Amino acid sequence: MDIAYEPIGADEHGRLAGLYGPLTDAVRDLIDATILTDVDADTIEDARIAIEAVTQKLRASQLSPAAAVRYVVDGRPLVWGNAVIGMRNPIAPPLTIHHDGGRCWSEFSLGIAYEGPPGLVHGGVCALVLDHILGEAASEGLTKPLFTGTISVKYLRGTPLGELRAEAAIERTEGVKTFVRGSISDHTGTTAEAEGIFVMPGWAREIR
């Protein structure tokens, strides 16, 4: 079924981003600090107690998990819980996506929370990023209802943690299917490639 988004203006979007963005950044930094900390046992216990107390404060008023925060500004949905671009999701890097017609790209950084082999990004995280960037291209910035039908990822070499670039472009469209290619690269070249087919769901075909 279709997903309803609440339209908001740029000013309201800026207000909400200013409110929730710093909180999300702080939790993201906490995740990184938790992985890398080497403090003593007493400090860890103090931190645990403090974190649990803050968590309880945040749980004092909660949205239903089924009612994720969804807004739209200028026709583009802002799914703030998204695992790749979600501004209210501290496990999202997050990626900021730039568009130019059927092509899109993002320059971003993946830290220790995304590690697989030592010093390298987990292959599943690479697949997650590629799935999203291909979907962004296919749907022209999430403005068209297209969902992943199939995706194939080819790992050329390990993707190092740190500064990366992802990009994707539409190859062709055949009826309700859009074919897309994309890649992840570091400063020395491409590390992973992907191709995918994105399909318009049945409910969207009925209202075209």
Side-chain angles (χ1 to χ4, degrees), residues 71-163:
Y71 299 109
V72 61
V73 178
D74 297 329
R76 176 180 168 85
L78 305 170
V79 190
W80 282 354
N82 185 281
V84 179
I85 61 171
M87 196 204 68
R88 288 185 63 175
N89 185 348
I91 66 170
L95 272 63
T96 299
I97 312 292
H98 306 279
H99 286 270
D100 181 11
R103 174 176 172 268
C104 64
W105 69 96
S106 179
E107 294 181 346
F108 58 100
S109 179
L110 293 179
I112 192 69
Y114 305 97
E115 187 177 58
L120 300 176
V121 179
H122 193 292
V125 174
C126 292
L128 173 70
V129 169
L130 286 165
D131 182 32
H132 188 89
I133 199 81
L134 266 64
E136 286 265 1
S139 65
E140 297 181 18
L142 308 182
T143 61
K144 295 182 177 180
L146 292 169
F147 298 97
T148 310
T150 61
I151 185 170
S152 175
V153 179
K154 182 178 182 181
Y155 299 94
L156 306 180
R157 59 184 173 88
T159 298
L161 297 174
E163 300 298 320

Side-chain angles (χ1 to χ4, degrees), residues 5-203:
Y5 292 88
E6 177 187 348
I8 60 173
D11 289 345
E12 178 64 3
H13 170 246
R15 185 189 73 80
L16 292 171
L19 176 64
Y20 292 110
L23 172 64
T24 308
D25 288 340
V27 177
R28 189 176 290 119
D29 194 40
L30 175 62
I31 292 170
D32 187 78
T34 299
I35 295 170
L36 297 175
T37 190
D38 192 29
V39 297
D40 60 76
D42 288 341
T43 303
I44 289 175
E45 181 64 8
D46 289 344
R48 181 189 64 79
I49 292 169
I51 291 165
E52 288 180 351
V54 171
T55 300
Q56 289 305 309
K57 287 185 178 181
L58 294 176
R59 289 198 184 281
S61 179
Q62 296 267 283
L63 296 168
S64 163
V69 179
R70 297 185 176 96
Y71 299 109
V72 61
V73 178
D74 297 329
R76 176 180 168 85
L78 305 170
V79 190
W80 282 354
N82 185 281
V84 179
I85 61 171
M87 196 204 68
R88 288 185 63 175
N89 185 348
I91 66 170
L95 272 63
T96 299
I97 312 292
H98 306 279
H99 286 270
D100 181 11
R103 174 176 172 268
C104 64
W105 69 96
S106 179
E107 294 181 346
F108 58 100
S109 179
L110 293 179
I112 192 69
Y114 305 97
E115 187 177 58
L120 300 176
V121 179
H122 193 292
V125 174
C126 292
L128 173 70
V129 169
L130 286 165
D131 182 32
H132 188 89
I133 199 81
L134 266 64
E136 286 265 1
S139 65
E140 297 181 18
L142 308 182
T143 61
K144 295 182 177 180
L146 292 169
F147 298 97
T148 310
T150 61
I151 185 170
S152 175
V153 179
K154 182 178 182 181
Y155 299 94
L156 306 180
R157 59 184 173 88
T159 298
L161 297 174
E163 300 298 320
L164 299 167
R165 178 184 173 92
E167 54 187 270
I170 294 175
E171 286 199 315
R172 68 187 188 279
T173 298
E174 297 178 0
V176 298
K177 297 180 179 180
T178 299
F179 296 76
V180 190
R181 283 185 178 272
S183 64
I184 295 175
S185 58
D186 65 1
H187 69 284
T188 63
T190 303
T191 64
E193 299 173 335
E195 55 184 19
I197 302 173
F198 291 78
V199 183
M200 182 178 293
W203 59 262

